[in-house]
Structures are given as C-alpha cells and as structure tokens.
Amino acid sequence: MSTAELLLDSGDIVGESITWDERREALFWVDIVGSRLNRFVLASGEHRVLPMDERPTSIGLCADGRLIVGLTKRVVFWDGEQEFSALAEVEPELPDNRLNEGQVAPDGSYWVGTMENNIFPDNSPKPIEGAKGRLYRVSPEGAVSRLSDDVFAITNTMCWLEDGRFVTADTMENALFVYDVAGDRLVNRRPFTPPIERGLPDGSTMDADGFVWNCRVVGGAALARITPDGRVDRVVELPCSSPTSCTFGGPDLDRLFVTSSCFGMSAEERAARPHEGSVFVLAGLGVEGRPARRFGRG
C-alpha cells in the first residue's frame, strides 16, 4: 500500500482544484482563502505563488495553452504569468454567493458550482445558513446556463463516468450524487454511494480504470477510491486531516497529488499539525490517471 509523502509545504489555507499540466510539466492549484494561485514545476521543484486581489476558487487548462480560473463571481482566462481576461460572470444577482468547485467537462465547457460565501473578510470561517448553491455550465463563448434546479450547501466534486453519468457532491450533506446528462441539463439525481463514515466529501479525480478518488475533508484524513457502481474499493490514509482535491500527474500519470486545508484551525492546532495546508504525493498506487481535459476542446 502506498504511503503519502509531503511534496511541498505550500502554506495554503484552503488549497484546492489541483491540476496537472503535461505541457508545462507543472501542477497548478488555488488557495481560496489565501487568495493565491500556485504553480509547482515537478522536475525542478520551483514553486511560484501569485497573490490575487480576488479569491480564486478553481482552475483548469485550456486548449490554447492558457488556464481558466474561477474567481469569487467571475470566470477568467490566465496566461500562467500575469495577464487575465474576462470570460463570464455567474449569479451576479446573488451577491452573497460565490463560486466553489470547477472542472472542464467532456464537451470542452467549464462547469462550476456555487455556494453561500463562507469566508469573512478577515479570512475566518463564516457560517453557512443553508443550501443556496447550484451547478452551471460556462461555454467556450462565455454563455452561462444552469445545469439543474437542485440546490447545494457546498458544491464539490465533478466527475464524468465512462457511461456518461455525472458525479458530484454536497459536502455539508456528506453526500455523493450521480446524475444522468440530458443535453445541457442534469436529470434523475440519486445517491452515488451510501454516506461514507470518514469525514465529508470534497474534490475528486478519476483514474484510467474509471474509478473515482474522493478526498475526505473535515477530519477524514483519507482518500476513498469508489467503483463506477458506487462501492468503496479502498481507503488510503493521509497525513493531513482535511484533504481537499487530488489529481494524477507526472510524466506517466502514476502519481496522485493531494492538496489540503487548515481553514478554521486554531493556532494551537496548526502548531501541532504544521503540514496542514500542504501538498502531498502518493506513488505506487498501482493505477494511472488520465490527461486533464482542456477548455475549448474537452
């Protein structure tokens, strides 16, 4: 069984949305609460941090070599250095909501989820009053359309199974759901798995065998590998209490990289667990991942 190792003491408050870019041979991820974009070149170990005036919430790759970034309310393009350009705004009529999860879909669009803002201006946790988030599709032309009328407290996880079904999560409900995809709409929501008694679901990725790897946040301290029919195949322990997102990467896509969070931890807790908010890597899992889809091409 593979053991997770510390890859980078990145100092994130909420590291999220980690993505492997095979062209740059680098990992990209966001720190939502720390308002930072991260790039880590695997071969050299170079770690670059770009502070932001707006909270980044998700990141993905584009067919033209740029990256697509979800911010608090907007979706923008980033050249990987300093330049940004606007693409779309989501839920402008709901100022108390923000973006959360985001992934490039098989058709080359960008799917994003929203939630009630849970961060005070001083970066402390803000209680969520209820389920106010939804799921949206952002087209390559910047058109925004709602995917479902279902509401979520915290939207998380976006995976497309090989048979076309879509898997997503509501973290606060400790629920993973599966939908059928009918054109540009999600229909027939039902449970994907029974509740998993290890923390709560956060971000996920898929391996080449079509299994879902789900981060178990809020004390879960593990990854759950889930079969396409919703059974937990294995649980991999992690040295962090709140793993948030994961991706396969490296030249052979055979290493699994995991971000983590220290959001809401006291100073004493952070001192006792100094690597919370770091990036970890697992090798020797016996499975490989898939190249990331790219916005505009899929």
Side-chain angles (χ1 to χ4, degrees), residues 7-8 12 15-31 36-42 46-48 57-63 65-70 78 100-105 110-111 158 160 203-206 215 244-251 253 255-260 279-280 289-295 298:
L7 176 73
L8 177 68
D12 297 317
E16 269 285 7
S17 196
I18 193 165
T19 301
W20 169 252
D21 182 356
E22 75 280 3
R23 297 181 189 174
R24 295 178 175 91
E25 297 185 336
L27 294 160
F28 288 88
W29 69 97
V30 305
D31 179 356
R36 311 183 310 167
L37 295 172
N38 290 272
R39 180 181 69 189
F40 181 78
V41 180
L42 195 58
E46 177 195 2
H47 179 217
R48 178 176 179 238
T57 53
S58 65
I59 193 167
L61 308 179
C62 297
R66 294 182 294 177
L67 295 102
I68 185 167
V69 180
W78 177 40
N100 196 47
E101 183 77 314
Q103 288 283 341
V104 177
Y110 198 60
W111 287 23
M158 291 184 176
W160 290 261
S204 298
T205 194
M206 289 183 63
C215 292
T244 51
S245 70
C246 56
T247 191
F248 284 93
L253 297 176
R255 283 174 277 178
L256 188 59
F257 299 93
V258 184
T259 54
S260 62
V279 180
F280 300 88
R290 307 175 180 200
R293 291 181 293 270
R294 290 183 176 266
F295 182 74

Side-chain angles (χ1 to χ4, degrees), residues 29-293:
W29 69 97
V30 305
D31 179 356
I32 298 176
V33 178
S35 300
R36 311 183 310 167
L37 295 172
N38 290 272
R39 180 181 69 189
F40 181 78
V41 180
L42 195 58
S44 68
E46 177 195 2
H47 179 217
R48 178 176 179 238
V49 176
L50 181 63
M52 301 284 291
D53 294 331
E54 191 174 349
R55 298 190 194 279
T57 53
S58 65
I59 193 167
L61 308 179
C62 297
D64 63 8
R66 294 182 294 177
L67 295 102
I68 185 167
V69 180
L71 299 176
T72 304
K73 302 291 288 185
R74 301 182 298 141
V75 179
V76 302
F77 293 117
W78 177 40
D79 70 351
E81 297 296 333
Q82 296 288 338
E83 297 298 320
F84 295 85
S85 57
L87 175 65
E89 188 172 6
V90 181
E91 292 185 341
E93 75 284 4
L94 299 175
D96 293 332
N97 271 15
R98 68 166 177 86
L99 297 182
N100 196 47
E101 183 77 314
Q103 288 283 341
V104 177
D107 67 353
S109 63
Y110 198 60
W111 287 23
V112 293
T114 63
M115 60 178 285
E116 182 182 356
N117 178 43
N118 65 334
I119 310 165
F120 280 119
D122 66 356
N123 289 343
S124 62
K126 179 179 183 293
I128 294 175
E129 295 181 359
K132 300 180 181 180
R134 297 182 190 273
L135 298 172
Y136 294 87
R137 176 185 185 269
V138 180
S139 76
E141 297 74 32
V144 179
S145 57
R146 186 184 293 175
L147 288 159
S148 167
D149 293 330
D150 295 325
V151 292
F152 298 77
I154 299 179
T155 52
N156 258 313
T157 286
M158 291 184 176
C159 292
W160 290 261
L161 302 177
E162 291 182 338
D163 60 8
R165 290 175 297 150
F166 173 68
V167 175
T168 192
D170 189 329
T171 299
M172 289 190 69
E173 296 295 324
N174 190 19
L176 284 155
F177 299 107
V178 64
Y179 284 88
D180 297 321
V181 181
D184 291 341
R185 295 286 290 180
L186 296 173
V187 298
N188 190 25
R189 183 169 91 167
R190 64 267 190 202
F192 179 52
T193 66
I196 299 172
E197 300 304 324
R198 283 291 297 262
L200 303 173
D202 205 311
S204 298
T205 194
M206 289 183 63
D207 63 31
D209 296 329
F211 288 52
V212 174
W213 290 78
N214 177 237
C215 292
R216 305 304 298 182
V217 77
V218 191
L223 293 162
R225 186 183 192 233
I226 303 168
T227 66
D229 61 0
R231 294 177 293 106
V232 175
D233 171 70
R234 68 172 110 159
V235 174
V236 178
E237 304 291 335
L238 294 171
C240 59
S241 62
S242 285
T244 51
S245 70
C246 56
T247 191
F248 284 93
D252 298 319
L253 297 176
D254 59 353
R255 283 174 277 178
L256 188 59
F257 299 93
V258 184
T259 54
S260 62
S261 168
C262 63
F263 188 43
M265 292 177 62
S266 67
E268 293 77 13
E269 290 171 325
R270 294 180 68 172
R273 301 181 64 92
H275 294 314
E276 302 285 348
S278 297
V279 180
F280 300 88
V281 60
L282 296 99
L285 289 167
V287 295
E288 297 176 359
R290 307 175 180 200
R293 291 181 293 270

